[in-house]
Amino acid sequence: MTRDELAELFQREWQPSFFVVGRYDNREREQPLSIMKFSREDSPLSTEQELFDLRFSRINAIQALGYRAYGQRFDFSHTIPAILAVYSATAAEQLDSSRVPVKVAGRIQTIRRMGKAGFAHLQQSGERLQVYVKKDLVSEREWALWELLDLGDIIGVEGYLFRTRTGELSIHVETLTFLSKNLLGMPEKYHGLEDVEIRYRQRYLDLIANPDVHRAFATRAKVIASFRRQLEARGFIEVETPMMQPLYGGAAARPFVTHHNTLDIDLYLRIAPELYLKRLVCGGMERVFEINRNFRNEGISTRHNPEFTMLEFYQAYADYRDLMDLTAELLKNVALDATGSATVPYGDLTLDFSSIRRFTMREAVCEFWKGPDKPSMDNVRDPEWLSRHAGKLTPGECLVDIFERHCEEALVQPTIIHQYPVEVSPLAKQNPDEPGMTDRFEVYAAGMEIGNAFTELNDPDEQRRRFEMQLAMKERGDEEAHQMDEDYLRALCYGMPPAGGEGLGIDRITMLLTNSKSIRDVILFPLLRPEGPIGIAGWLRESSAKHLGK
RNA sequence: GGGCCGGUAGCUCAGAUGGUAGAGCACGACACUUUUAAUGUUGUGGUCGUGGGUUCGAGUCCCACCCGGCUCACCA
């Protein structure tokens, strides 16, 4: 587009349009709006576009009444949730005698017109309050506006609280104003929006139609706030470390790759913040945490989204046992802060976060073994027994494999599993009494892994050996094996205080606390394939040309 | 990536064996000054996910593809 074309476009599209303020012409309303439906000679509109066009045409009618179809600021006195919180138990007589004046804004969720009066439900933050509009009590102009309103429009009302004959708390409207026009059909009022694809793609519609969704994301915010508050209270400071990393590490996963143009280098979206956070521990940030996204280029499922939120924290001079105690405390308080109770329903289950069981991985295998021939502790220590029951190369990998197949799904109540084999724990410190095992634990609930923690390996030479072991595994074809990170080794060479570190999956914990069976129900915009052309710009262009002459 | 299930009006859903595509909500018109899934009368609304094929005839049967869900694999 040339500069002249751009100038012309600006002239055409953004000339201020004539705007009627405070005048109301009765003749305007004698023209039924529907006659405009097929005024264009060319092909008839689709039903949805017809509805869109009808609603668009009301912009003119709204403006003719002296309102803005897309209004400006509105000085409300209360939010709808605030009114409900304070007055939902107040008796009708008390409301009548005290005459509580309120001014609120909200989206029209239902509308019931009855001749010269009517009711509507306004929604704000997932909560609804009824308003009652009576012709006698509002101006002629406001009544005309009331008659023009569509479901989904956003309006402001001013009036006083009362209870209807059936006892519902409502606003008796004295003044009415228009704030924003809805142009599209709203989801069905009774069933709400059920189509999961639309729910995830158009989360705004899901939020409008399904109040539970708003609640779930409010709970998610409480989960994060609770962790943050608890950690800060213990002297942890919050940091942000790189999401774009030249070397990825801190977990076993395949990364996303991106490119920086000016530097002409490939970068990886981080799979974990771990190695950066531990550099900070080396630097003297002795209690540090980060709540942010990790990216893993792997499958998508009800428990996995390619980007997910993790809390990671590190505490110098602590070990994994300190973290077990801390984890139990953190989770109990998060459940309390987010739901008001340490026991929460999850599907058919009730999860109790007030106490967390602990097993070593070997104990768990003995305890939860599926089928006959329950192994003994001697069995699960025996490399031969292990390799008979799993097809992995090393005893440690076999143990983990057996654990995952036999135990994971049995870990319904919040449970800590500790003592992980060194082969699968390249960054964890070995157990002093048994070098094949590390002082590491994972937290499980509802059969899902929700956390991972260990005493951090701070011996640079041992870390060097671990990296080299990982490189050997990579040679062998393990795509998720760790890379060598020499800057991290260098940091360890300056001496890192002994420390415990932990990662907790925020999305999964939120699933448990919101009774969500899919991670997509606790991520506002989960990754989906792109949906293809939408066509709404064309509708706007056509209706705009027809009704606004531009 | 594999297996299973699904895609019909703007939304929620019916459509045995192949024979003119339905309901409720929403939307338009009329009535109605405390309703609440408001109500009554009435009307409009569809390329049945897309593309091929079989057939006199396909929403329905066959093939391919697209999108989604569940599940397995992988992972947290």
Side-chain angles (χ1 to χ4, degrees):
Chain A
M1 188 177 285
T2 67
R3 178 187 289 249
D4 286 348
E5 283 168 345
L6 196 65
E8 193 198 315
L9 183 71
F10 185 85
Q11 285 289 323
R12 195 172 68 235
E13 299 283 339
W14 289 289
Q15 281 289 342
S17 57
F18 179 63
F19 184 67
V20 189
V21 177
R23 258 195 321 178
Y24 167 48
D25 185 348
N26 259 311
R27 282 167 303 178
E28 188 73 22
R29 298 214 17 91
E30 284 159 11
Q31 289 271 330
L33 295 162
S34 56
I35 61 161
M36 294 186 237
K37 272 204 282 196
F38 290 104
S39 61
R40 280 165 73 94
E41 290 112 329
D42 47 6
S43 60
L45 308 175
S46 71
T47 51
E48 195 186 2
Q49 190 181 357
E50 203 178 297
L51 178 60
F52 182 91
D53 189 65
L54 175 66
R55 289 182 177 206
F56 197 98
S57 75
R58 291 193 177 125
I59 289 175
N60 278 337
I62 288 162
Q63 289 182 347
L65 291 173
Y67 297 97
R68 288 176 192 273
Y70 295 96
Q72 280 150 342
R73 70 190 301 278
F74 182 76
D75 258 322
F76 57 87
S77 68
H78 299 72
T79 62
I80 285 170
I83 289 175
L84 294 175
V86 176
Y87 296 104
S88 56
T90 311
E93 305 75 50
Q94 206 175 333
L95 290 172
D96 288 342
S97 57
S98 59
R99 270 270 172 140
V100 183
V102 294
K103 188 175 180 185
V104 307
R107 186 185 293 274
I108 300 173
Q109 206 72 10
T110 64
I111 195 155
R112 294 173 292 283
R113 300 177 210 274
M114 293 168 302
K116 298 182 179 65
F119 292 89
H121 274 111
L122 296 190
Q123 189 199 51
Q124 196 175 31
S125 304
E127 297 191 50
R128 292 175 168 195
L129 179 61
Q130 183 170 260
V131 299
Y132 175 55
V133 180
K134 194 158 71 158
K135 196 176 181 187
D136 300 347
L137 214 70
V138 296
S139 69
E140 196 185 352
R141 186 169 80 102
E142 287 165 316
W143 184 252
L145 177 65
W146 164 255
E147 293 194 304
L148 274 175
L149 296 176
D150 286 314
L151 289 182
D153 288 349
I154 297 172
I155 61 170
V157 301
E158 192 169 2
Y160 55 89
L161 293 176
F162 77 112
R163 277 190 192 278
T164 61
R165 209 168 275 164
T166 52
E168 179 165 348
L169 183 68
S170 307
I171 301 176
H172 210 121
V173 174
E174 293 169 315
T175 68
L176 179 68
T177 192
F178 199 80
L179 297 172
S180 196
K181 186 79 198 89
N182 165 48
L183 299 172
L184 289 163
M186 299 300 282
E188 215 254 4
K189 63 183 170 192
Y190 186 63
H191 299 91
L193 182 64
E194 301 273 337
D195 184 320
V196 286
E197 187 172 349
I198 301 177
R199 288 188 48 223
Y200 297 151
R201 284 194 197 283
Q202 295 175 254
R203 184 68 87 179
Y204 42 90
L205 247 199
D206 193 23
L207 286 163
I208 291 167
N210 300 323
D212 285 351
V213 175
H214 205 283
R215 278 192 282 279
F217 286 100
T219 300
R220 181 185 172 110
K222 285 183 191 167
V223 167
I224 292 171
S226 175
F227 276 122
R228 185 171 274 138
R229 181 186 55 73
Q230 293 188 70
L231 288 169
E232 284 173 347
R234 289 173 169 81
F236 286 81
I237 69 166
E238 183 170 5
V239 296
E240 289 164 279
T241 60
M243 298 240 188
M244 295 193 293
Q245 304 178 346
L247 290 174
Y248 61 93
R254 282 151 62 189
F256 288 92
V257 189
T258 187
H259 188 79
H260 188 278
N261 287 343
T262 324
L263 296 182
D264 191 24
I265 49 169
D266 282 342
L267 291 166
Y268 301 98
L269 300 192
R270 76 177 186 196
I271 57 173
E274 170 145 353
L275 299 184
Y276 283 92
L277 291 172
K278 284 195 286 200
R279 283 171 170 90
L280 298 179
V281 176
C282 290
M285 289 186 151
E286 295 187 345
R287 294 187 177 200
V288 68
F289 74 101
E290 177 164 8
I291 301 173
N292 225 321
R293 230 69 65 79
N294 292 334
F295 307 87
R296 300 189 184 173
N297 205 340
E298 285 160 356
I300 297 174
S301 78
T302 43
R303 294 186 302 281
H304 302 83
N305 193 59
E307 55 177 311
F308 64 100
T309 301
M310 185 121 105
L311 160 65
E312 270 198 29
F313 58 91
Y314 291 82
Q315 179 174 343
Y317 309 111
D319 69 3
Y320 79 121
R321 293 206 168 269
D322 298 311
L323 294 186
M324 287 191 202
D325 297 338
L326 177 56
T327 301
E329 187 71 15
L330 289 175
L331 288 177
K332 183 180 77 184
N333 287 326
V334 163
L336 282 168
D337 290 344
T339 71
S341 169
T343 56
V344 300
Y346 189 70
D348 301 331
L349 313 168
T350 301
L351 303 178
D352 183 356
F353 287 94
S354 64
S355 69
I356 298 190
R357 299 178 299 172
R358 298 178 191 184
F359 298 96
T360 66
M361 183 173 280
R362 284 170 177 149
E363 287 166 352
V365 168
C366 298
E367 175 79 22
F368 299 107
W369 181 263
K370 284 193 285 201
D373 303 324
K374 228 177 214 284
S376 66
M377 280 303 278
D378 286 336
N379 288 147
V380 295
R381 283 179 200 279
D382 175 10
E384 271 185 39
W385 184 90
L386 289 169
S387 75
R388 267 211 312 281
H389 290 85
K392 302 287 179 179
L393 283 172
T394 68
E397 287 175 299
C398 289
L399 177 63
V400 173
D401 186 62
I402 294 165
F403 166 77
E404 284 173 352
R405 283 185 288 115
H406 281 84
C407 309
E408 251 182 28
E409 70 188 37
L411 302 178
V412 167
Q413 288 304 321
T415 306
I416 281 174
I417 302 293
H418 59 103
Q419 299 304 314
Y420 275 62
V422 67
E423 302 94 300
V424 297
S425 314
L427 302 162
K429 196 172 227 171
Q430 283 150 299
N431 184 290
D433 301 326
E434 193 184 350
M437 296 305 246
T438 56
D439 284 339
R440 172 182 175 192
F441 69 88
E442 292 199 351
V443 190
Y444 286 85
M448 227 169 24
E449 187 188 335
I450 59 173
N452 178 24
F454 38 85
T455 306
E456 300 298 338
L457 175 59
N458 62 341
D459 173 343
D461 192 41
E462 173 63 15
Q463 183 67 71
R464 189 246 331 149
R465 279 192 289 276
R466 301 287 187 87
F467 277 149
E468 283 168 354
M469 187 158 90
Q470 290 289 311
L471 291 177
M473 287 164 74
K474 210 176 187 71
E475 284 288 298
R476 218 168 73 188
D478 184 346
E479 285 187 80
E480 292 169 354
H482 230 277
Q483 295 180 297
M484 168 71 75
D485 187 337
E486 286 208 76
D487 178 66
Y488 177 65
L489 286 182
R490 179 166 60 184
L492 293 186
C493 284
Y494 285 101
M496 180 169 90
E502 176 159 345
L504 291 170
I506 296 294
D507 313 276
R508 288 184 175 179
I509 290 169
T510 305
M511 284 170 68
L512 301 177
L513 298 180
T514 56
N515 199 0
S516 301
K517 66 186 195 325
S518 171
I519 199 167
R520 296 185 203 95
D521 292 326
V522 298
I523 291 174
L524 282 166
F525 299 100
L527 186 67
L528 299 175
R529 288 196 148 85
E531 69 176 311
I534 297 170
I536 203 95
W539 289 8
L540 283 163
R541 201 177 302 117
E542 285 181 33
S543 291
S544 179
K546 188 155 121 192
H547 301 293
L548 307 180
K550 56 182 191 180

